[in-house]
Structures are given as structure tokens and as C-alpha cells.
Amino acid sequence: MQSLRGEAIRLEDVWVAYAGSGRPAIRNINLRVNLGNLVLITGPNGAGKTTLIETCLGLLKPIRGNAYLLGVNTRRREIIKVRRLCSYVPQDFMKPPYETYTARRVIELGLASKESIFGIIPNDIRDYILRIARTLRIGDILDKPIGRLSGGQQQKVYIARALVRRPKVIFLDEPFSSLDRDSRHIVAKTIHEYVHENEACAVVVSHDVEPIKDLADLVVYMDNGTIVSMEEIGDV
Ligand SMILES: Nc1ncnc2c1ncn2[C@@H]1O[C@H](COP(=O)(O)OP(=O)(O)O)[C@@H](O)[C@H]1O
Ligand SMILES: [Mg+2]
């Protein structure tokens, strides 16, 4: 049944090619995801998963077909404003070890386009940051420099930063890559709760489906630049 919820992402026969590359990285992609849904995109290395995320955000433009984010065609200038309503945690999130910002500051910087980052962070926002950090089990390391944290702790800091912006659509590229088993489940559950409490949309790219497949509303399998199958779970 078609849901009445708003549309988060729509891709219509989308083809994307990198400059200088002879062959399109993704081809003939058709996908619609609504607000209120968590979509898992999976498939082997080189399948086109990261390319798909960056196309949804309008960072890459289709050579053929149309991509819409929150109803706006990614070729339009307005896409810059629409992107501010979204969060993206790229695959290579790691900061160099000499980075001296504390984890808390890194999270606060996620609010840069919304709040005054030079001003005092209001108490309700501080409380919200603490709540998300505790949910992700990083509440006790917020005052440590980000460069001193383990890869898994850093990954959770960047996920917290993406969530505190209260995005309408959150894109996470391989968010479980540095996490241990317990942390994978905590992160998956946190993303799932965020989507349902905020009528938001999450697009999670992961070659490892185990932590999140039972929480996803839609599972998209990619290989060799195309969607090879889709599995809808419940009313999407
Ligand atoms: N910056 C780039 N320039 C040229 N080709 C690229 C670039 N990034 C990715 N590709 C190619 O596009 C295809 C899809 O890559 P990618 O979207 O990163 O796959 P995945 O995220 O599923 O591992 C691959 O063949 C890859 O080599
Ligand atoms: Mg990738």
C-alpha cells in the first residue's frame, strides 16, 4: 500500500559517471524512499553504494534521469538549502590524531549551520547532545580530544554529530565499520529510534547487513552499478 507520508528521496532512471571514467558507476536506478523509513543499501565493494548516496545529496549529478531530495531536483540551486536539512556521515570520517577538538566540540560543530557556534550553546541543546551521546555510550568521553579516541568511539562521535542536527534525512556510509558487536546494535537501534520519533528518513549503506536488517523498512541490494533486488518490509 502506498503510504501517505512525505517523500524523502526519488531516483528516476538515474545514471551517474565519474569524470574521465568510460563506464557509468551506477545505471538505471529507480528508488523511492519516504519519510519515516529506514532503508538499508547493501552489496559488495564497488557496487555503487557510495555513489548512490552522493547522488541523493546532489554532490554528484546524474548524466541521465532525475534525482530528487525532499522533492527538489538535485540539479536545482535550491538543493544547497535542502542539503542543510540533511546529515551525511561519509565512509572516511576519521580525523588525524593531532586533532585537538574535544568530542563534545566535534558534535557541537554539527550544529554550525543551525546555531551560532561562537555563542553559548543553549542548555536544551547541551542536554540533547548529552542524551544522544549517552544513548551511543560515549557520554563519558565527551571531554577527551577526538584524536585520542578509538576508531569506534570516533565513529560514534560523528554519528552523534549527524543526529544532533535533527536531520530530515540522514545518510550513513558504512557506519558499523569500526564498531564492535554491541556498538553495532546500539548504533542501529539509535538510528531506528531517531527515524520513528522524528518522522525522518535514514539511508544506511552497509556491506554488513546483520546489525540493521531486522530494523530496515526497505533493503536494497546493489551489484555492479545497478539495483539487483529490493525487499520491502511492512508498509513503506
Ligand atoms: N572518484 C571516483 N572516480 C572514478 N571512479 C570512481 C570514483 N569513486 C568510485 N568510482 C567507481 O565507481 C564504482 C562504484 O564505486 P562506489 O560507489 O564507491 O562503490 P561502493 O560504495 O559500493 O563500494 C566503482 O567501480 C568505483 O571504482
Ligand atoms: Mg562505498
Side-chain angles (χ1 to χ4, degrees), residues 18 25 44-51:
Y18 288 95
N45 285 337
K49 305 181 300 295
T50 299
T51 305

Side-chain angles (χ1 to χ4, degrees), residues 67-173:
Y68 301 86
L69 178 60
L70 295 168
V72 173
N73 190 315
T74 60
R75 287 197 187 86
R76 294 184 56 183
R77 280 170 58 100
E78 267 177 272
I79 196 66
I80 296 166
K81 286 186 195 152
V82 172
R83 212 182 282 144
R84 286 192 202 121
L85 306 174
C86 303
S87 290
Y88 176 29
V89 185
Q91 208 164 350
D92 45 2
F93 62 90
M94 296 278 274
K95 279 276 172 285
Y98 50 79
E99 180 64 74
T100 56
Y101 280 151
T102 62
R104 187 192 306 279
R105 190 69 180 143
V106 170
I107 296 172
E108 287 170 0
L109 286 170
L111 300 165
S113 64
K114 302 205 166 203
E115 319 287 334
S116 165
I117 54 161
F118 301 109
I120 295 161
I121 305 281
N123 278 340
D124 58 331
I125 292 176
R126 283 192 84 90
D127 290 349
Y128 185 58
I129 289 173
L130 199 56
R131 180 154 77 85
I132 288 187
R134 284 184 178 148
T135 310
L136 292 171
R137 311 279 198 276
I138 49 168
D140 54 341
I141 51 104
L142 289 178
D143 294 313
K144 293 197 176 173
I146 184 83
R148 301 265 180 81
L149 302 179
S150 73
Q153 288 171 326
Q154 290 189 20
Q155 192 156 29
K156 289 196 269 184
V157 167
Y158 285 94
I159 293 166
R161 175 162 88 165
L163 287 169
V164 299
R165 306 179 68 244
R166 295 184 195 258
K168 286 311 282 176
V169 189
I170 179 167
F171 295 89
L172 300 137
D173 198 350

